[in-house]
Amino acid sequence: MPINNQFALPELPYVGLGGVISPETLSFHHGKHLKAYVDNLNKMLPGSGLEGLPLTEVVKKAEGGMFNNAGQVLNHILYFGQFSPTPHPMGDRMTALLERDFGSVETFRKEFEQKGATLFGSGWVWLSADNGGKLVITQQKNAENPVTMGLTPLLTFDVWEHAYYLDYQNRRADYLAALWQIVDWTVVESRL
């Protein structure tokens, strides 16, 4: 990802996501919001002492505006990278882990959606693994990322309004429920 100690805007492998996220939303969310975070981070890197580090390390070490931009770059890369217009279904391994830690896949989904719907303001809902492999759901405000808590992020839903407002207006819960249709579980499982 770093190019000459800078980060590049990743290309999307899709232009729309099956009516769940429109091309217009993707254009604004990826092409304008994420691009601005990448551009801002690249402007802040020179002389910061964080040049050349992997993005996760920049997020762990940065503060203030650099943390906000680096966190948003990492969060969005994970977010956009987990979706597909032709997603792979959940495999046996992830099913077993979710059943172990939440009782059932359905219980996990309900808790995940509820945490996303009830996060006040802007932020993210995450499924992560702790150092022992236990799966946990967290709510993170603004640009926060589970890597700062020693967790491995596996799945995230963006609950900033720019992620859903063009397609769902103020119906955040509908947006969260719809996203399951486009989650590529092969990608999520590869992050374990």
Side-chain angles (χ1 to χ4, degrees), residues 76-151:
H76 282 90
I77 287 171
L78 293 169
Y79 173 79
F80 288 121
Q82 71 195 5
F83 296 136
S84 172
T86 55
H88 293 93
M90 185 181 298
D92 292 342
R93 180 180 180 205
M94 183 59 71
T95 300
L97 292 172
L98 291 172
E99 289 174 349
R100 179 194 72 192
D101 294 334
F102 298 98
S104 71
V105 172
E106 187 59 32
T107 299
F108 154 71
R109 288 172 103 172
K110 284 180 182 176
E111 183 178 339
F112 196 83
E113 288 178 41
Q114 184 270 338
K115 293 240 175 147
T118 60
L119 178 64
F120 183 77
S122 299
W124 303 79
V125 60
W126 294 90
L127 173 68
S128 300
D130 69 13
N131 288 336
K134 180 177 175 15
L135 302 183
V136 295
I137 298 171
T138 59
Q139 295 171 310
Q140 309 291 154
K141 293 201 172 276
N142 301 317
E144 293 173 3
N145 184 290
V147 299
T148 63
M149 302 182 305
L151 300 172

Side-chain angles (χ1 to χ4, degrees), residues 135-168:
L135 302 183
V136 295
I137 298 171
T138 59
Q139 295 171 310
Q140 309 291 154
K141 293 201 172 276
N142 301 317
E144 293 173 3
N145 184 290
V147 299
T148 63
M149 302 182 305
L151 300 172
T152 301
L154 306 175
L155 172 77
T156 188
F157 288 179
D158 185 344
V159 294
W160 283 69
E161 285 186 342
H162 65 247
Y164 62 88
Y165 211 82
L166 291 176
D167 297 328
Y168 297 88

Side-chain angles (χ1 to χ4, degrees), residues 39-53:
D39 291 347
N40 289 338
L41 176 59
N42 287 333
K43 288 176 190 169
M44 295 176 178
L45 276 175
S48 68
L50 303 177
E51 304 93 329
L53 292 178

